[in-house]
Amino acid sequence: MPRGQLRIYLGAAPGVGKTFAALEEAHRRAERGTDVVVGFVETHGRERTADLVNGLETVPRHTVAYRGSAFEEFDLDAVLARAPQVALVDELAHTNVPGSRNTKRWEDIDELLDAGIDVISTVNVQHLESLNDVVAQITGVPQRETVPDEVVRRADQVELADITPEALRRRMLHGNVYPAEKIDAALANYFRVGNLTALREIALLWLADKVEDQLEQYREDQHITATWESKERVVVALSGGDEGDTLIRRAARIAARSGGADLKAVYIASGDGLTSARAARNLARQRLLVEDLGGSYHQVIGDSIPDALLEFAVGVNATQLVLGASRRGRFAQMLSRGVGVTTTAKSGPIDVHLVTHERVASVKHGRAARGLIGTGRRRLGIALALFGIPALVAALNPFHGELSLTTMILIVLTAVMGLTLTGGMWPALLAALLGFVLLNFFFTEPYYSFKIDDQEQVIALVIFVALALGGAAVVNVSASRARLAARASAEAQTLATLAGDVLRGRNRVADLLEQLRVTFALDSVTLLERIEPGAGPAERQDARLWRCVASAGEPCASPGAAENDLPINDDLALALRGHTLAAGDRRIAQAFAMHAAAALERERLERQAEAVQRLTDTDKLRTALLAAVSHDLRSPLASVRVAVSSLKSEESLFTAEERSELLETAEASLAKLTGLVDNLLDMSRLQAGVLGAHPVPIALDEAVPYALDELGEVAAGVRLDIAGELPQVAADPGLLQRILVNVVSNALRYSPEDRPPVLRAGVYGDQVELRLIDYGPGVPDEDREAMFTPFQRLGDRDNTSGVGLGLALSRGLAEAMGGTLLSEATPGGGLTMVLTLPQA
């Protein structure tokens, strides 16, 4: 059965119309004859949204009992049994009530898709896992319910439900989003214009990234290599010269003017390589500059700079290239058009900017192009040999009566040596043979024939050919050695870049694989680990014996399935797809492979270290607990022991009033002991990560007085400002009471008698804030976070106020319920504790 298709309506904030748009889509499909049911829709009391549900078949919700309360949830089994073509299931990131089959609603939707049912759902951008902390930083409101980005990215369709911030605020003022009592607080906090604008931009950028992924996948599936200007990408070419700084800044300005285009700097480590350490220093500095400007640095190995540069540009779908203008002389330009002109001629749809600059990379620290003989120079040398040598001999022919044969040979030999420097061995060989034949024909007796009567002339011509071939051989060897030296320099530069990444701490496995893929223009690079040993050579082809550890590009199933299989050790291998690497390139790739293996080992060791650190922290906590027990538990135990011993005395040493006082002392000490033990045990559970919170809907106007009653008469003066119509919060009753008792008792301890603390509550977006305001001495800003550290009592000035666990435990309990506990300075002096809890 084919898997169903998922369509998601993405919104920047509540109220933008996601559910409304999803219901409209359901109506459109139903009108076309599609079997559509509503599995779950949350209208939030919005009349227009509720009206749209009418006319659609709705599957009844499933009631789940939890901790004495009943909750309505999406009935997955009922929808699967109904088996419609399309199901509308709202709120993708919703967390199901404990006791449901799946923890998250997106897992329910996965089951529907596996059953072949198409699903329409909704999600807000703040619920995306990767953006959760970003949104919390902008709005100040953390989101407890999240959905993995991958769930949304693999949806078949993602549509943005978008309106302007001003329009959304008007919609709220008209009562179309929240009830009237919540509007003012929402507009003043979460729904500020700045917040909504930032959320809208985040949603648009996230969706643009998904569209970009879809476009790249389409281009790959359709084997499209041409540049599509869907998004501006600016590539700046670096040569290692001083002018690179100017080029980078100019490229950054071009990228900024193009609406925040991607900026990429590339250095082509080709056969002509680097000739001095100065260029390496320039590249290191320029790499930092590129990264400071928000770009990325790449290094690619290629024998032809224009071809490698354009191959890289096409590979990253670049739209603009920035190169430095050539300052070579006219004679050099006659021999070769240069990188800028050649790249421009071959660039096709990619725009090329040739930027003038004052500082030019001199030959001394630039590329040693003279030492190399490429295909273009060899062709030029052959052409000059075929046409130049005959032309030279024809020009000398009128003077054969005035000049001796030796002079003619020296002139032609000079031309041959020039051709040797230009085109290398083969053009020189051709020129020498042509020169020998033409000199014999025109300048030896008998003239205009290939016979030679004079033995001395034969010797002269033979020496001419020998000198020409010897000179060509010397130049060819020199060029070969220059090429090898430059290649070694380029490899060294690549390895230096790799080492630089290691020193900067950027050698994560995924980063190394991506750098290797870009360096050699590969389709994919996969790090594979052997699952179990195989038998014989076929094991490297068997995908069942290997698993993918990390990959850049489409993962490869086994080492033998790739063009390049690089064994690292008995259990690891690197599979490179795209094209077969040359021997020299394999050496570089092998270095990357070794670094990748080391990086993988380090990442695993770091995870082990984290686990050990958790054990160490637990051990430290245990030590602190024992230290606390040694003193803070001893005092109440001693009091109880003395009181009980006195009461057990058979002699009538105490009056009835004294016996009652002893009983009260024992009871108070036992209560103190019980509270202290509870705190110690809860803190140890929190540190170990085993303290479970079970949030249920709770009304604060009922929970707060109950907690104050537990404190007794000392809390009688606390003033309450909690409206009865506040929405319920999702909290664990026992944990909430512990938090309130701890923070209120702490506030009472430091509040002046004439100004008792105030408890005030309000709604802010999807959260409810409970603020405990005291007017005591307050806490300095630098000590505010230290209050939440276990076993701290504001400097540990005394040993009578407990082990200092109250606030630390309270924060941990709040976070366990998906809330926060923060501290602020009270205007006019004092401390305000802010407990934030999610609405039920």
Side-chain angles (χ1 to χ4, degrees):
M1 177 183 296
R3 181 177 169 87
Q5 293 195 339
L6 175 60
R7 179 174 186 148
I8 296 176
Y9 285 88
L10 175 68
V16 297
K18 304 179 302 300
T19 304
F20 197 90
L23 286 167
E24 286 183 329
E25 175 64 18
H27 275 284
R28 284 193 293 270
R29 297 197 185 191
E31 291 168 2
R32 294 196 296 264
T34 305
D35 183 15
V36 181
V37 301
V38 175
F40 190 96
V41 165
E42 184 58 68
T43 64
H44 297 288
R46 298 162 191 167
E47 295 182 3
R48 294 185 61 191
T49 305
D51 291 342
L52 269 183
V53 180
N54 298 329
L56 294 171
E57 179 185 347
T58 302
V59 176
R61 300 182 181 184
H62 174 54
T63 302
V64 180
Y66 177 69
R67 296 177 70 92
S69 301
F71 301 90
E72 290 186 342
E73 287 287 358
F74 167 57
D75 195 340
L76 173 61
D77 292 326
V79 176
L80 289 173
R82 170 66 175 74
Q85 290 177 280
V86 179
L88 194 160
V89 185
D90 203 6
E91 296 188 349
L92 182 70
H94 173 75
T95 302
N96 295 328
V97 172
S100 303
R101 185 157 79 195
N102 294 314
T103 304
K104 289 286 192 175
R105 183 163 293 164
W106 63 264
E107 296 173 324
D108 295 337
I109 290 174
D110 258 355
E111 291 197 32
L112 294 179
L113 297 173
D114 290 338
I117 300 173
D118 294 346
V119 178
I120 302 173
S121 189
T122 64
V123 70
N124 275 334
V125 71
Q126 66 262 32
H127 295 298
L128 296 175
E129 184 69 48
S130 66
L131 301 175
N132 183 260
D133 55 342
V134 178
V135 175
Q137 182 180 4
I138 293 172
T139 63
V141 179
Q143 295 294 334
R144 184 167 54 94
E145 293 184 326
T146 60
V147 58
D149 288 45
E150 182 58 29
V151 174
V152 184
R153 287 192 180 277
R154 66 171 179 249
D156 299 278
Q157 298 181 64
V158 178
E159 185 171 331
L160 184 66
D162 182 45
I163 61 174
T164 64
E166 293 77 9
L168 178 55
R169 287 170 62 86
R170 285 196 302 271
R171 181 179 289 180
M172 293 192 65
L173 287 171
H174 294 157
N176 295 329
V177 179
Y178 287 151
E181 65 272 11
K182 298 182 180 180
I183 293 175
D184 290 340
L187 291 176
N189 293 277
Y190 191 92
F191 288 84
R192 293 192 293 267
V193 173
N195 287 358
L196 296 177
T197 302
L199 292 176
R200 188 185 186 204
E201 181 181 17
I202 290 172
L204 290 169
L205 290 174
W206 190 93
L207 189 60
D209 286 341
K210 175 174 172 56
V211 173
E212 178 69 18
D213 292 341
Q214 292 175 331
L215 177 61
E216 290 300 322
Q217 186 63 46
Y218 176 80
R219 283 165 51 87
E220 182 177 340
D221 294 341
Q222 300 298 321
H223 306 290
I224 298 173
T225 58
T227 300
W228 285 12
E229 297 187 21
S230 56
K231 181 180 180 181
E232 292 291 336
R233 292 175 180 83
V234 180
V235 173
V236 53
L238 302 178
S239 66
D242 294 335
E243 78 282 358
D245 300 61
T246 303
L247 299 181
I248 292 170
R249 292 188 176 93
R250 180 61 183 275
R253 291 196 296 271
I254 293 174
R257 288 198 297 267
S258 301
D262 292 342
L263 174 63
K264 300 178 184 294
V266 59
Y267 170 72
I268 309 299
S270 63
D272 38 10
L274 297 175
T275 59
S276 76
R278 179 176 180 181
R281 290 195 300 270
N282 286 341
L283 288 172
R285 183 186 70 253
Q286 289 158 10
R287 174 175 187 158
L288 295 176
L289 177 60
V290 169
E291 292 171 351
D292 289 342
L293 293 173
S296 58
Y297 176 86
H298 305 269
Q299 183 166 312
V300 175
I301 294 178
D303 290 329
S304 171
I305 297 175
D307 292 343
L309 178 59
L310 289 172
E311 184 179 359
F312 173 82
V314 171
V316 299
N317 202 21
T319 57
Q320 301 187 62
L321 267 174
V322 178
L323 297 88
S326 175
R327 294 298 180 89
R328 300 184 310 148
R330 292 184 179 181
F331 180 74
Q333 293 182 16
M334 290 174 60
L335 296 177
S336 175
R337 294 190 298 176
V339 173
V341 176
T342 305
T343 303
T344 304
K346 296 181 177 181
S347 63
I350 302 177
D351 296 335
V352 178
H353 303 265
L354 292 177
V355 179
T356 59
H357 46 84
E358 296 179 357
R359 292 175 295 179
V360 183
S362 66
V363 175
K364 185 171 67 172
H365 63 272
R367 300 180 181 273
R370 296 181 182 180
L372 297 175
I373 300 175
T375 303
R377 289 177 57 183
R378 188 174 293 111
R379 290 174 180 173
L380 176 61
I382 292 174
L384 289 175
L386 289 173
F387 300 102
I389 296 299
L392 176 62
V393 173
L396 293 175
N397 187 41
F399 304 99
H400 70 83
E402 302 176 10
L403 300 176
S404 66
L405 177 63
T406 304
T407 303
M408 298 291 185
I409 288 176
L410 290 175
I411 294 174
V412 176
L413 180 61
T414 303
V416 172
M417 297 307 295
L419 284 173
T420 303
L421 295 173
T422 301
M425 183 69 178
W426 295 108
L429 178 60
L430 178 60
L433 293 177
L434 281 174
F436 175 83
V437 172
L438 293 175
L439 287 171
N440 178 19
F441 187 80
F442 287 102
F443 300 109
T444 62
E445 296 179 354
Y447 298 123
Y448 309 115
S449 71
F450 293 103
K451 295 182 179 180
I452 305 176
D453 294 337
D454 190 345
Q455 185 177 2
E456 184 178 347
Q457 291 180 343
V458 174
I459 296 174
L461 288 176
V462 171
I463 293 175
F464 160 74
V465 173
L467 288 175
L469 295 181
V474 170
V475 171
N476 189 63
V477 170
S478 175
S480 298
R481 291 181 176 176
R483 182 181 291 106
L484 291 175
R487 182 72 179 182
S489 177
E491 293 178 0
Q493 177 62 23
T494 302
L495 294 175
T497 302
L498 179 60
D501 283 339
V502 174
L503 293 175
R504 294 184 183 92
R506 296 175 183 166
N507 56 334
R508 292 174 51 250
V509 175
D511 294 339
L512 287 172
L513 298 187
E514 178 61 23
Q515 185 178 353
L516 176 58
R517 187 187 70 82
V518 172
T519 297
F520 294 107
L522 297 166
D523 293 337
S524 69
V525 178
T526 308
L527 181 62
L528 295 163
E529 185 174 34
R530 193 193 306 270
I531 301 175
E532 56 183 69
E539 68 173 5
R540 303 195 76 78
Q541 299 282 351
D542 193 347
R544 296 171 299 177
L545 304 179
W546 300 86
R547 70 180 182 91
C548 174
V549 177
S551 176
E554 188 68 23
C556 185
S558 65
E563 289 90 339
N564 306 276
D565 176 8
L566 301 181
I568 301 175
N569 52 38
D570 292 340
D571 297 321
L572 290 174
L574 205 60
L576 284 65
R577 271 182 163 172
H579 58 82
T580 303
L581 296 181
D585 292 340
R586 286 181 67 90
R587 291 196 303 270
I588 301 294
Q590 195 69 46
F592 274 93
M594 299 306 296
H595 276 287
L600 176 64
E601 182 67 20
R602 186 180 61 258
E603 289 180 4
R604 290 176 173 175
L605 290 174
E606 287 175 354
R607 288 194 290 269
Q608 293 177 8
E610 290 176 0
V612 172
Q613 184 62 43
R614 287 194 293 270
L615 294 176
T616 303
D617 293 341
T618 303
D619 187 63
K620 289 180 180 178
L621 176 64
R622 186 180 296 111
T623 303
L625 289 174
L626 292 174
V629 169
S630 66
H631 177 273
D632 294 275
L633 294 182
R634 187 179 300 171
S635 297
L637 282 174
S639 300
V640 172
R641 182 176 180 181
V642 169
V644 172
S645 299
S646 301
L647 290 172
K648 285 177 64 179
S649 176
E650 296 179 357
E651 301 179 9
S652 300
L653 300 177
F654 304 101
T655 63
E657 182 178 352
E658 290 172 339
R659 294 175 67 85
S660 176
E661 185 176 348
L662 286 172
L663 287 171
E664 289 179 359
T665 299
E667 183 179 12
S669 297
L670 286 173
K672 181 179 180 181
L673 182 63
T674 301
L676 184 57
V677 170
D678 287 343
N679 279 348
L680 291 171
L681 291 177
D682 282 346
M683 178 55 69
S684 65
R685 292 192 190 102
L686 274 176
Q687 294 287 342
V690 296
L691 179 64
H694 305 285
V696 296
I698 297 176
L700 284 180
D701 58 335
E702 299 176 0
V704 171
Y706 188 78
L708 296 180
D709 289 342
E710 182 178 332
L711 289 171
E713 296 182 359
V714 294
V718 176
R719 292 182 294 160
L720 300 182
D721 184 10
I722 303 175
E725 62 272 12
L726 273 177
Q728 292 181 323
V729 298
D732 186 299
L735 301 186
L736 177 60
Q737 184 174 342
R738 295 286 302 282
I739 296 172
L740 292 175
V741 169
N742 279 334
V743 296
V744 172
S745 61
N746 192 68
L748 288 169
R749 184 180 306 156
Y750 296 103
S751 293
E753 295 182 2
D754 57 338
R755 299 194 69 184
V758 178
L759 267 170
R760 183 173 297 147
V763 179
Y764 298 93
D766 294 335
Q767 310 286 319
V768 175
E769 278 189 2
L770 183 64
R771 305 176 73 87
L772 176 62
I773 306 167
D774 74 57
Y775 302 96
V779 177
D781 293 344
E782 60 273 13
D783 293 336
R784 220 171 275 152
E785 274 303 306
M787 294 190 307
F788 297 99
T789 304
F791 308 107
Q792 296 296 316
R793 295 188 298 268
L794 228 61
D796 290 332
R797 297 191 190 93
D798 64 83
N799 291 318
T800 62
S801 56
V803 293
L805 279 177
L807 292 180
L809 178 61
S810 298
R811 171 174 279 186
L813 298 178
E815 292 174 350
M817 296 188 297
T820 60
L821 181 64
L822 304 173
S823 62
E824 300 176 357
T826 302
L831 185 69
T832 298
M833 303 299 297
V834 184
L835 173 63
T836 304
L837 295 170
Q839 291 188 32

